[in-house]
Amino acid sequence: MLVVKKMMSFFTLDTKRKLLLIEAGFYLALARILKALPFSRVSPLLGKYMEETSKDYKQTDCPILWNISDAIDLVSKHTMWESKCLVRAMAAMKMLERRKIESTLYLGTGKDENGSLIAHAWLRSGPFYITGGEEKNRFVIVGKFAKQINEKS
């Protein structure tokens, strides 16, 4: 019954929202596949290593950033596969790249309550954190990838 209710909710959305959610699902699936590959093969796709994009932004990008963040958050809760921080960050990065919006993916490490080593990934575009930003302060940055967009392309 819950599945039917969710399907009905989806079909009541406007077409732009439906397409954004479908796109988020596609990129979450792609990111999950990429996560299964050796990181050395995936990292060149993420951008320039140990560089960051600007914290400047266009006011007109704000609704796009918010909508992508919201879509990734919503769809990742309903995937049949694990869609945790790295998968979410990579998917959101690809969605921003399609819209010619720069972003920086951060990788960090820290310790949990038991003292065990844990990792986290988050994505920033301009001054805004698209995914994973709520936990970023618990982690030390060990890697970052800047996805810069050429104006000519």
Side-chain angles (χ1 to χ4, degrees), residues 81-118:
W81 55 88
E82 182 183 89
S83 293
K84 291 192 177 177
C85 58
L86 182 58
V87 170
R88 290 178 185 202
M90 290 189 328
M93 178 181 259
K94 286 297 181 190
M95 291 176 76
L96 291 173
E97 182 182 2
R98 279 195 67 229
R99 290 157 179 84
K100 299 195 182 317
I101 299 174
E102 294 185 339
S103 61
T104 303
L105 188 146
Y106 296 91
L107 301 173
T109 59
K111 298 209 176 201
D112 66 8
E113 308 78 39
N114 302 322
S116 298
L117 186 65
I118 56 174

Side-chain angles (χ1 to χ4, degrees), residues 17 20-21 23-24 27-28 61-75 88-89 91-101 123 130-131:
R17 182 80 173 143
L20 188 68
L21 294 175
E23 180 186 358
Y27 281 114
L28 285 165
D61 288 345
C62 289
I64 298 167
L65 298 174
W66 187 88
N67 286 334
I68 289 174
S69 177
D70 185 55
I72 290 290
D73 185 54
L74 179 66
V75 176
R88 290 178 185 202
M93 178 181 259
K94 286 297 181 190
M95 291 176 76
L96 291 173
E97 182 182 2
R98 279 195 67 229
R99 290 157 179 84
K100 299 195 182 317
I101 299 174
L123 185 73
I130 310 305
T131 66

Side-chain angles (χ1 to χ4, degrees), residues 102-151:
E102 294 185 339
S103 61
T104 303
L105 188 146
Y106 296 91
L107 301 173
T109 59
K111 298 209 176 201
D112 66 8
E113 308 78 39
N114 302 322
S116 298
L117 186 65
I118 56 174
H120 185 53
W122 60 98
L123 185 73
R124 177 188 58 77
S125 181
F128 307 108
Y129 291 92
I130 310 305
T131 66
E134 60 281 346
E135 295 185 44
K136 69 179 179 53
N137 293 331
R138 293 181 46 209
F139 298 89
V140 174
I141 296 171
V142 295
K144 50 191 167 185
F145 296 88
K147 181 60 84 169
Q148 297 166 327
I149 306 299
N150 290 335
E151 292 299 322

Side-chain angles (χ1 to χ4, degrees), residues 19-72:
L19 291 173
L20 188 68
L21 294 175
I22 291 167
E23 180 186 358
F26 172 78
Y27 281 114
L28 285 165
L30 179 61
R32 185 64 184 112
I33 292 166
L34 290 175
K35 186 181 176 213
L37 298 175
F39 192 72
S40 61
R41 289 187 56 202
V42 175
S43 63
L45 303 173
L46 300 178
K48 294 182 181 176
Y49 181 62
M50 294 310 278
E51 290 189 25
E52 291 184 271
T53 55
S54 170
K55 293 202 177 181
D56 294 337
Y57 70 100
K58 295 181 214 162
Q59 190 70 32
T60 55
D61 288 345
C62 289
I64 298 167
L65 298 174
W66 187 88
N67 286 334
I68 289 174
S69 177
D70 185 55
I72 290 290

